[in-house]
Amino acid sequence: MKTDLINIKQKKAWWFIVAHEQIVLEPHGRFIPYGKMKELFFSNLSIKNKIKIGIFESCPCYLISLTNKIDIKLGEYKPLRSILGKVDDALFAMAGRALQLDLFHKTHQFCGQCGQKMLHIDWEFAMQCDNNNCRHRCYPRISPCVIVAICKQKQILLALHKHHYSEQQIFTNLAGFVEAGETLEQCIHREIFEESNIQVKNIQYVASQPWPFPHSLMMGFVADYASGDIKVDTNELISAQWFDIDDLPSLPNVGTIARKLINKVVNEV
Ligand SMILES: [Zn+2]
């Protein structure tokens, strides 16, 4: 263990330092602190709870979960959203993984089956009950969510969501969480009909994006309008309407799967 610690202090690495659901970001460069440990941290920082979460550009990535914000030589604590679209996708995804694992560890301290202490296991990302008669094991929670760009000739259906509401009035695609026992296709038909009263056809998968706010996996699709008039579910949406692709409202940020789907529709119809 001692040799291991010395190696870590000497070797350059990416450091994902998380406290209170915020991450330490540098003001310049690639935002995520990178370098030898001693160059980045005050010497009193304990690294005994560091966890290797992957490799980026041939260098190890470490998560350090803190219960309280401590001073770091370089950088300050900020929300991960503040670098969305500003760093490359792989580095953003690694930061998302760090935040999700931090939340997972902090919310799985005790067994949901017998109440005893849960411990990390070191061969995969999981927490296991310390009770020999139980051994209940939990994995990081991931919530699958479909998001769909719906086309009707040269128009796209976009909505103002209640949970996204801001002064900017960002319009985006319809989306919803997959329910237990449901296929992605069933979820798409159900969610779109519930939220807008619209039926769709020609569903095509486009891409996915981990969305660590707090633990979604967004699965992006495009689909064509089939039938129905818009009738908004006011529990979920403020409004929904067809927009001409040449006259779009304020859209989600570059870097989001929502924007990627909208751009795909705009470029292909
Ligand atoms: Zn247990």
Side-chain angles (χ1 to χ4, degrees):
M1 186 63 184
K2 204 167 183 177
T3 313
D4 189 32
L5 283 179
I6 291 167
N7 285 340
I8 288 164
K9 287 180 179 178
Q10 297 301 325
K11 196 174 177 187
K12 285 192 172 184
W14 297 90
W15 300 91
F16 298 81
I17 306 149
V18 180
H20 297 188
E21 296 178 38
Q22 294 196 329
I23 186 164
V24 172
L25 299 174
E26 291 180 343
H28 306 294
R30 299 174 74 176
F31 293 102
I32 303 298
Y34 169 77
K36 294 177 184 174
M37 203 192 93
K38 64 181 180 183
E39 294 167 357
L40 296 174
F41 308 123
F42 290 111
S43 56
N44 62 354
L45 176 65
S46 167
I47 60 165
K48 68 178 186 299
N49 291 327
K50 68 166 181 34
I51 298 170
K52 188 174 176 184
I53 58 171
I55 291 175
F56 180 72
E57 293 183 344
S58 305
C59 288
C61 300
Y62 292 107
L63 163 65
I64 297 183
S65 288
L66 302 174
T67 48
N68 290 303
K69 292 176 180 177
I70 59 166
D71 289 340
I72 306 292
K73 281 182 184 174
L74 297 171
E76 54 186 307
Y77 297 88
K78 290 195 169 175
L80 180 60
R81 280 180 190 272
S82 65
I83 55 168
L84 179 63
K86 297 179 182 173
V87 296
D88 65 63
D89 290 349
L91 196 56
F92 185 81
M94 192 70 76
R97 183 205 289 262
L99 277 160
Q100 282 180 257
L101 291 174
D102 174 70
L103 181 66
F104 169 65
H105 294 143
K106 285 173 179 163
T107 55
H108 288 76
Q109 295 293 305
F110 298 95
C111 177
Q113 190 157 265
C114 77
Q116 291 229 7
K117 185 81 181 153
M118 300 279 275
L119 300 173
H120 295 274
I121 55 175
D122 57 11
W123 62 92
E124 59 183 349
F125 292 120
M127 299 282 277
Q128 182 167 281
C129 178
D130 199 30
N131 176 357
N132 281 333
N133 296 321
C134 178
R135 292 295 185 205
H136 177 56
R137 191 181 296 173
C138 291
Y139 294 86
R141 181 177 165 189
I142 297 170
S143 303
C145 182
V146 298
I147 178 166
V148 191
I150 304 162
C151 315
K152 184 183 179 187
Q153 296 166 334
K154 285 192 172 294
Q155 292 185 311
I156 182 168
L157 181 65
L158 297 172
L160 201 53
H161 290 249
K162 277 191 168 175
H163 63 280
H164 285 166
Y165 186 74
S166 70
E167 292 299 313
Q168 290 174 286
Q169 303 221 335
I170 305 292
F171 280 77
T172 188
N173 308 291
L174 298 185
F177 288 103
V178 181
E179 294 185 348
E182 193 173 49
T183 66
L184 299 180
E185 293 83 355
Q186 288 169 333
C187 177
I188 289 168
H189 287 295
R190 177 184 56 75
E191 278 288 344
I192 291 171
F193 185 72
E194 283 176 2
E195 293 189 355
S196 67
N197 195 48
I198 296 293
Q199 302 273 8
V200 294
K201 61 183 180 183
N202 303 333
I203 295 167
Q204 288 180 45
Y205 173 73
V206 176
S208 64
Q209 182 180 42
W211 192 243
F213 307 108
H215 39 60
S216 301
L217 174 61
M218 306 298 291
M219 289 169 288
F221 297 82
V222 292
D224 292 329
Y225 167 83
S227 63
D229 296 320
I230 295 173
K231 188 177 167 190
V232 167
D233 172 8
T234 54
N235 290 321
E236 301 270 345
L237 306 178
I238 295 167
S239 69
Q241 62 190 89
W242 295 106
F243 286 91
D244 193 287
I245 60 165
D246 297 321
D247 187 21
L248 293 171
S250 294
L251 299 175
N253 288 334
V254 171
T256 60
I257 184 118
R259 185 61 175 268
K260 187 172 187 174
L261 295 173
I262 294 167
N263 287 350
K264 180 177 171 63
V265 168
V266 168
N267 292 330
E268 292 184 3
V269 297

